[in-house]
Amino acid sequence: MTQADLGQSVASNGAPGCSADVNAVGLHAERLLNLYPSTPAVVTRDEGLMLYRDMVLGRRFEDKCAEMYYRGKMFGFVHLYNGQEAVSTGVIKAMKMQHDWFCSTYRDHVHALSCGVPAREVMSELFGKETGCSKGRGGSMHLFSKEHHLLGGYAFIGEGIPVALGAAFTSRYKRDALGDASSDAVTAAFFGDGTCNIGQFYECLNMAALWKLPILFVVENNKWAIGMDHNRATSDPEIWRKAAAFGMAGEEVDGMDVLAVRGAAQRAIERARAGEGPTLLECLTYRFRGHSLADPDELRAEAEKEFWAQRDPIKQLAAHLIEHNLATADELKGIDKEIDAEVADCVEFALAAPEPKPEELTRYIWAED
Ligand SMILES: Cc1ncc(C[n+]2csc(CCOP(=O)(O)OP(=O)(O)O)c2C)c(N)n1
Ligand SMILES: [Mg+2]
């Protein structure tokens, strides 16, 4: 399909009255431009720098993964998160580390880093080394850390949603049935726009609403499911509105703005901890690279890519911090340098780390005492 075909098919399936200009960047961009601004989080200098550091770590880590993949150090499918950092950072950093729970997809490296899994452990996992967070048996799509409450990456789309639902049910059951008043953990389940067209999504929304479970369904709507345009694949492209059918809270948010995401996440977390049940949070975002590192990314229109590149979440936060005198450009450059050193260190560590022993291939399939 050519770019002209793509524009046409979007128009033929799109909202009435959308202009030629809008078609150049697509309906997804139009939604972002028409978004009702949600109340962003107010941040202190320390919080702002923490968010900046987390997003830069995510970005630089992924860039390094691309380099290592093309140098033949990683095998299998590797899906990068560039462009979507505001979602991982905005949601996860609003939650309580090693208390709340997180569930990811195959695009999971940056979620793991935001959860606090050390970069050395994530990179080792990608190289299939024993020092990896899944002991080298999982690889890119199966990051897991009990210590950091990361319930896993999942290669099958939607597979993590019921797992997250189970974690949310556990919090509620411990508090209400077992009388543990301290059991107030909230779970965040991350998944994409394409995943919202499968059955598990609806089944889990139903149960979460029915039992008022403390869960955030975080949709990372990056417009694309491999090569399928979201607007051609779903009955109502505004995913957050599907919350109403289940009587739960729903919110759409600028997923390129970490403070907007953080604000929406804080509201949803507060509701969940107060026993008011789940939220469907739709973050409008975009992936800056192809679906996986095996995808040459020749399908998407250049104008569309340019539209979203101009809204780079890291640059937007940097501008905000400087404009509000929370940081100087030099300080931010200093953080960039520190992150580069951390990423270089994790590669060195992972390259030197041992492979799993062949005789232990099946170890960790079953829990050990
Ligand atoms: C159950 C299942 N069906 C199909 C696939 C093939 N598949 C891999 S990624 C993908 C698209 C998912 O798109 P989306 O949910 O928007 O996530 P994104 O890749 O954009 O992060 C599909 C259909 C799969 N992995 N699992
Ligand atoms: Mg998608």
Side-chain angles (χ1 to χ4, degrees), residues 30 32 46 68 75 103 109-110 130 135 255 263 277 281 302 345:
E30 186 189 14
L32 190 82
D46 284 352
M68 291 293 130
F75 307 96
C103 207
H109 311 168
V110 175
E130 186 70 32
K135 310 288 183 201
L281 182 62
E302 287 307 319
D345 164 80

Side-chain angles (χ1 to χ4, degrees), residues 118-140:
R120 282 180 165 196
E121 286 187 28
V122 181
M123 194 58 88
S124 296
E125 190 55 43
L126 304 185
F127 289 177
K129 299 296 184 77
E130 186 70 32
T131 48
C133 57
S134 304
K135 310 288 183 201
R137 273 71 162 179
S140 167

